[in-house]
Amino acid sequence: MAARMKLKLKTVFVLYFMVSLMGLVYALMQLGQRCDCTEHDLPKERTISRLRGELHRLQEQMRKSEATKQPQKQPAKPSLPTIFVITPTYARLVQKAELTRLSQTLLHVPQLHWILVEDSPHKTPLVTDFLAKSGLSYTHLHTPTPKDRKLQEGDPSWLKPRGAEQRNEGLRWLREDRRAQQGADSQQGVVYFADDDNTYSLQLFEEMRNTQRVSVWPVGLVGGMRYERPVVEGGKVVRFHTGWRPSRPFPLDMAGFAVSLRLVLDNQDACFDGDAPMGFLESSFLQGLVTMDELEPKADNCSKVLVWHTRTEKPKMKREEALQAQGLGSDTAVEV
Amino acid sequence: MPKRRDILAIVLIVLPWTLLITVWHQSAIAPLLAIRKGMQYDGIEGKKEAGGQVQDSKEYCASDKDIVEVVRTEYVYTRPPPWSDVLPTIHIITPTYSRPVQKAELTRLANTFLHVPNLHWILVEDSQRRTALVTRLLRDTGLNYTHLNVETPRNYKLRGDTRDPRIPRGTMQRNLALRWLRETFNANSSQPGIVYFADDDNTYSLELFEEMRSTRKVSVWPVAFVGGLRYESPKVNAAGKVYGWKTVFDPHRPFAIDMAGFAINLRLILFKPQAYFKLRGVKGGYQESSLLRELVTLNDLEPKAANCTKILVWHTRTEKPVLVNEGKKGFTDPNVEI
């Protein structure tokens, strides 16, 4: 009886051992495989998210009904300072596309006035029509860059500073226009220099709106780094974190600062120096206006990136050029 | 005492198995409950207030057992237009992948989409897991979105992070989105919708979305900066029908059009549930044809944009930023998100 018992036990244990070994091997094999749980997830998740959505909607309704019950005694909103965005632009293939997507961002920002300055001896129909349809509050200016300062075909983009004359023209118009305006409100505002190929988040414009003198923030994808930024200690800018020529008076990018309108109007001569050496364009403007400790850090003490110095590739036109040589180029009446 | 030994043996056998089974059961349940795909329908409100508004939002995440309530106060900078009951929904499928300019591209794309009423953005990441960057970005935009992800298998033969070159970029992601649409929407439901494939680096005019809303089957229009030309466009005859393609690169493709140059009615997608982008063995430029030929013939195409004479979408490409000054160890704080 005992022997049979033992035998039985032995076989059971052996069986147990074999099964667990097989299970282990199976589990090890499963480790390398991708889990195909997707089939199971969907209905459950859909129900969960649907319920979530319904809950959210009901809460919104509740809040709405509560809001209407309360007396409508909200204090009148103080008028927002206007943000004047000065953008130099020049004709090239991607111009309309760049301006289109920039305008789509600017359309979301309240109290914004766009000063678009063309690098051209006259206003082009493309930009004129575009601005008319944009829905933005705008001023359309133009001024050509003198030939010796203009980048030639094949020049690297960093060879000569670009947009200086156009930005100065924007400043000139602004100063003249504000002189004609009455009222303390018209002297309130911020001036921001926005290039037409950068990318701006909506939060950036709210950060800069209450600039008292000059406010600064980090800029992404510039200076050969993931981002460049002012270093803030104790609420003040103490130095600049940049990989390129940090000894410049203001080693920041054009997109990294905004100037209060008050300051621009009080310093009628402050403008960009088109002859400044590479990278000193911003400093040439800011030097006379403000010192480093007067700078106002924004974007959470300069720790968040709210603007990116993106650049758009030049589209390849080999086939177009080949066609044009044959006289079969695409219809130029179609605006691109 | 054989009896006691018996009992001991049985206990010794049964105990580990019960433990194993309970542990396995637990681990099998957990991934089912974990939300891997987020669906958020924000169909109400569209008031644009000056200076934005503060909104209390409650977020629900289901853990294994409890529903945890998280109250967040968000500053909403702008909201999409109010949801309309009459406009067909535009489902925009955008594949995306991590690279330095990703956040910038998605930000400006979101700024564009925030102007379009009845828009549903299906963003599909090429990644193993949904990244925190995209999750946060989608949530902060206030758009109506669905966040999916599927990883294109890497090419193990090549060293590094290169994906399988035989699978064109974005294909698996677009297919996943199509599958999601088919599983979410009933073919018999009357919810009208349009499906559009929008890459994250192109530029779209707002007019384009209104043009595509009236698509009955598949509508087409010109696209700028593709095929080495100022623009490529379908050839439209006097009767308003597409009869060919005005391109230099292989104009004899069944559909010589860029991904951004067409939109499909959702009904068609649902009626032909087998139609997907071909994954492998697709010649350069034939990706779009691999899907469209299963859905529609040339004769059924609807030309938009003033009979294909206006450019409403540009195939822009963003330069890869030069990060030389980061050096080997990285100069900037990697915790700062760009």
Side-chain angles (χ1 to χ4, degrees):
Chain A
M1 178 78 164
R4 262 218 344 248
M5 213 72 247
K6 257 195 196 148
L7 223 64
K8 196 176 163 196
L9 212 62
K10 205 189 223 172
T11 52
V12 169
F13 270 118
V14 168
L15 197 75
Y16 171 69
F17 183 74
M18 292 306 295
V19 171
S20 29
L21 196 72
M22 284 198 295
L24 197 70
V25 169
Y26 173 80
L28 277 171
M29 277 175 48
Q30 285 297 312
L31 271 178
Q33 306 292 330
R34 212 170 294 279
C35 163
D36 188 29
C37 319
T38 49
E39 310 301 334
H40 313 296
D41 291 1
L42 287 165
K44 254 203 182 85
E45 279 179 24
R46 257 206 294 283
T47 333
I48 292 171
S49 3
R50 190 178 45 85
L51 290 170
R52 209 204 284 171
E54 271 184 49
L55 206 59
H56 192 96
R57 224 167 293 148
L58 288 169
Q59 278 179 312
E60 290 280 344
Q61 277 183 23
M62 261 173 55
R63 212 175 307 134
K64 255 197 286 183
S65 57
E66 271 173 43
T68 52
K69 275 196 216 145
Q70 278 165 15
Q72 302 280 13
K73 245 187 90 184
Q74 302 223 323
K77 267 211 171 79
S79 60
L80 290 171
T82 308
I83 301 179
F84 294 94
V85 176
I86 300 182
T87 301
T89 185
Y90 66 104
R92 73 269 199 205
L93 281 167
V94 295
Q95 181 186 37
K96 191 175 178 190
E98 301 281 46
L99 293 177
T100 300
R101 55 184 171 185
L102 180 55
S103 72
Q104 285 162 357
T105 296
L106 298 180
L107 267 169
H108 290 298
V109 186
Q111 276 304 104
L112 183 141
H113 186 83
W114 197 18
I115 303 170
L116 190 57
V117 194
E118 293 197 71
D119 182 351
S120 158
H122 47 254
K123 292 186 187 176
T124 60
L126 186 148
V127 175
T128 312
D129 292 339
F130 164 76
L131 282 173
K133 281 191 256 177
S134 66
L136 286 162
S137 162
Y138 68 89
T139 297
H140 185 185
L141 305 170
H142 65 94
T143 184
T145 310
K147 269 221 160 72
D148 57 342
R149 287 198 192 154
K150 213 171 155 78
L151 280 177
Q152 301 305 320
E153 192 71 37
D155 276 348
S157 64
W158 43 262
L159 196 63
K160 291 172 188 153
R162 289 183 305 173
E165 281 77 15
Q166 287 72 36
R167 293 185 191 98
N168 288 340
E169 170 67 11
L171 288 170
R172 184 203 62 74
W173 176 89
L174 193 57
R175 286 167 174 143
E176 204 180 281
D177 182 76
R178 293 293 109 177
R179 225 199 317 263
Q181 303 269 345
Q182 307 292 341
D185 259 3
S186 68
Q187 313 295 313
Q188 285 269 20
V190 192
V191 180
Y192 182 53
F193 299 97
D195 288 345
D196 62 6
D197 56 356
N198 291 342
T199 304
Y200 309 91
S201 71
L202 300 181
Q203 193 182 349
L204 177 72
F205 296 101
E206 298 319 312
E207 292 277 318
M208 70 170 75
R209 215 184 270 279
N210 292 307
T211 303
Q212 300 302 311
R213 296 182 69 82
V214 175
S215 54
V216 290
W217 48 77
V219 178
L221 310 172
V222 73
M225 303 205 296
R226 286 171 73 242
Y227 61 87
E228 265 186 354
R229 68 181 181 102
V231 178
V232 177
E233 275 164 30
K236 290 229 171 277
V237 177
V238 295
R239 62 180 183 281
F240 294 91
H241 180 97
T242 161
W244 188 78
R245 290 219 195 154
S247 57
R248 292 176 277 164
F250 289 97
L252 11 87
D253 184 78
M254 197 66 73
F257 67 93
V259 187
S260 78
L261 183 60
R262 185 75 272 159
L263 205 61
V264 167
L265 298 176
D266 287 345
N267 296 280
Q268 292 284 318
D269 297 324
C271 62
F272 292 93
D273 181 4
D275 289 322
M278 236 255 293
F280 283 78
L281 198 61
E282 296 84 0
S283 307
S284 70
F285 176 65
L286 290 171
Q287 248 172 325
L289 289 178
V290 76
T291 59
M292 185 157 76
D293 57 275
E294 286 175 331
L295 295 173
E296 299 150 53
K298 301 285 178 186
D300 212 357
N301 270 341
C302 293
S303 64
K304 293 219 176 81
V305 176
L306 301 174
V307 56
W308 298 264
H309 194 274
T310 43
R311 293 173 52 83
T312 305
E313 274 183 20
K314 195 169 162 196
K316 299 193 176 76
M317 286 288 126
K318 281 220 173 83
R319 295 206 175 96
E320 181 75 39
E321 285 154 15
L323 281 182
Q324 278 174 1
Q326 297 169 30
L328 295 167
S330 58
D331 188 355
T332 45
V334 176
E335 193 180 75
V336 159
Chain B
M1 324 287 198
K3 242 189 182 168
R4 212 186 281 170
R5 212 192 269 167
D6 253 337
I7 294 169
L8 191 68
I10 290 169
V11 167
L12 275 176
I13 291 164
V14 170
L15 191 69
W17 280 107
T18 49
L19 275 168
L20 198 74
I21 288 167
T22 44
V23 167
W24 180 77
H25 205 240
Q26 278 274 35
S27 67
I29 290 283
L32 284 180
L33 277 186
I35 309 286
R36 295 221 284 145
K37 298 170 187 168
M39 268 169 67
Q40 183 173 314
Y41 272 80
D42 183 29
I44 323 183
E45 313 283 23
K47 256 201 311 189
K48 283 188 195 166
E49 267 193 70
Q53 61 191 72
V54 174
Q55 171 208 329
D56 278 323
S57 151
K58 289 198 199 315
E59 196 178 76
Y60 293 87
C61 11
S63 67
D64 269 35
K65 286 171 186 156
D66 319 315
I67 304 253
V68 174
E69 193 178 294
V70 173
V71 179
R72 259 187 6 247
T73 315
E74 303 167 339
Y75 194 82
V76 178
Y77 293 96
T78 189
R79 285 188 157 286
W83 199 267
S84 148
D85 284 329
V86 291
L87 289 177
T89 306
I90 299 181
H91 302 277
I92 305 228
I93 298 176
T94 301
T96 185
Y97 65 104
S98 290
R99 75 270 198 204
V101 297
Q102 181 189 38
K103 191 176 180 191
E105 301 282 43
L106 295 178
T107 301
R108 57 183 168 187
L109 198 55
N111 288 343
T112 300
F113 290 158
L114 278 164
H115 289 292
V116 184
N118 284 42
L119 183 142
H120 172 221
W121 196 13
I122 306 173
L123 191 56
V124 195
E125 290 197 72
D126 186 346
S127 66
Q128 214 172 46
R129 264 172 280 276
R130 288 180 295 172
T131 59
L133 188 151
V134 176
T135 309
R136 237 174 297 141
L137 186 143
L138 281 173
R139 197 189 54 207
D140 291 343
T141 58
L143 282 167
N144 181 352
Y145 70 88
T146 294
H147 186 183
L148 306 173
N149 71 291
V150 63
E151 192 180 26
T152 310
R154 282 155 218 256
N155 191 335
Y156 287 105
K157 291 191 202 134
L158 298 176
R159 205 160 322 161
D161 199 12
T162 23
R163 308 286 161 159
D164 193 333
R166 293 170 295 163
I167 303 178
R169 187 155 36 209
T171 313
M172 288 186 70
Q173 288 71 37
R174 293 188 190 100
N175 281 345
L176 180 65
L178 285 174
R179 206 183 92 180
W180 183 93
L181 282 170
R182 286 168 173 141
E183 282 167 353
T184 309
F185 292 98
N186 193 350
N188 301 324
S189 84
S190 58
Q191 266 181 321
I194 313 288
V195 177
Y196 182 54
F197 298 98
D199 288 346
D200 61 7
D201 55 357
N202 291 343
T203 304
Y204 310 91
S205 73
L206 301 180
E207 214 182 315
L208 176 72
F209 300 106
E210 298 321 309
E211 288 281 308
M212 69 170 77
R213 238 187 257 276
S214 54
T215 305
R216 287 196 309 275
K217 286 195 170 175
V218 174
S219 54
V220 291
W221 48 77
V223 179
F225 310 141
V226 281
L229 298 172
R230 279 174 77 238
Y231 63 90
E232 271 184 357
S233 99
K235 283 196 211 167
V236 181
N237 61 22
K241 288 260 177 232
V242 176
Y243 67 95
W245 309 97
K246 200 159 180 282
T247 82
V248 167
F249 170 62
D250 207 344
H252 301 295
R253 290 173 274 166
F255 294 90
I257 195 165
D258 182 77
M259 198 66 75
F262 65 91
I264 311 170
N265 192 314
L266 181 62
R267 226 179 308 121
L268 196 56
I269 300 273
L270 300 176
F271 276 172
K272 306 259 175 100
Q274 308 305 321
Y276 282 99
F277 287 103
K278 194 150 178 270
L279 265 187
R280 288 191 169 85
V282 183
K283 250 188 354 173
Y286 282 77
Q287 257 272 292
E288 296 81 4
S289 304
S290 74
L291 173 71
L292 288 172
R293 65 158 187 257
E294 301 193 39
L295 293 172
V296 81
T297 61
L298 210 68
N299 197 40
D300 287 332
L301 295 175
E302 300 150 51
K304 301 285 178 189
N307 264 346
C308 295
T309 57
K310 275 165 60 168
I311 307 293
L312 301 175
V313 56
W314 298 262
H315 194 277
T316 43
R317 290 169 56 85
T318 306
E319 273 184 21
K320 192 169 167 195
V322 170
L323 300 179
V324 277
N325 286 333
E326 288 287 346
K328 282 218 173 104
K329 286 188 242 165
F331 193 58
T332 52
D333 183 354
N335 289 322
V336 174
E337 191 183 81
I338 51 155

